[in-house]
Amino acid sequence: MNETLKSGEQHRIAIYCDGACEPNPGRMTIGVYCADPLIAISRDVGPGTNNVAECLAAIVALEEAARLGVTCFVLHSDSRLLCNWTSGQYQCRSATAQQCIPQIRQLLLDLQAELRWIPGRANPADGLSRQLLLSPPSQPQNL
């Protein structure tokens, strides 16, 4: 998988995020992946919905990029709803997700990052979020 993207002559790092929930609503897990710099995060984040899990995965990905000093990258998500909420194309009606969207927008702006939709089968973070759903629940980690 190509982990950098060409933008004219500029190469941009690709970071992937994914949220999962089973059942929905139910146990939420998240995954974040990047090849270089290596980021591989898999977390249990407590009860909620799939859409909230997608939002939390984006926040964790952006915060980890900030912690590592990564800027000007592309954050990939397989959630069309997250991408459309963040761009303002759709209005967010979920009270919990509404609390996340301004934070995601601000982090994207601060990090000069772009959020793009990709198909789920092309998202390496999907496996990181789903693998936790196969194991017994752990104590949810604070974000």
Side-chain angles (χ1 to χ4, degrees):
M1 177 174 300
N2 183 6
E3 299 303 332
T4 59
L5 304 172
K6 289 185 180 179
S7 175
E9 294 298 314
Q10 178 183 9
H11 293 275
R12 297 178 74 189
I13 292 172
I15 300 176
Y16 300 86
C17 65
D18 186 62
C21 187
E22 188 64 39
N24 189 20
R27 177 182 175 200
M28 295 186 301
T29 59
I30 62 165
V32 176
Y33 176 79
C34 181
D36 187 21
L38 180 60
I39 301 171
I41 297 170
S42 189
R43 286 190 192 156
D44 222 320
V45 290
T49 66
N50 187 66
N51 292 330
V52 171
E54 296 283 3
C55 291
L56 295 175
I59 290 169
V60 168
L62 292 162
E63 288 178 341
E64 183 67 8
R67 187 184 74 75
L68 294 172
V70 177
T71 60
C72 301
F73 59 91
V74 178
L75 177 62
H76 295 279
S77 171
D78 56 23
S79 171
R80 285 187 195 265
L81 199 54
L82 172 63
C83 293
N84 289 329
W85 280 344
T86 304
S87 71
Q89 194 170 2
Y90 291 177
Q91 182 180 4
C92 180
R93 291 188 171 89
S94 161
T96 308
Q98 278 179 344
Q99 297 172 8
C100 299
I101 300 303
Q103 183 179 3
I104 294 168
R105 286 179 180 151
Q106 189 61 54
L107 284 164
L108 287 167
L109 184 66
D110 292 348
L111 297 170
Q112 301 170 21
E114 177 185 352
L115 178 62
R116 286 190 198 161
W117 178 83
I118 57 168
R121 65 186 173 281
N123 188 349
D126 181 75
L128 292 171
S129 65
R130 296 203 177 277
Q131 76 181 10
L132 278 179
L133 290 176
L134 300 174
S135 62
S138 60
Q139 189 69 10
Q141 296 180 11
N142 291 335
L143 303 180

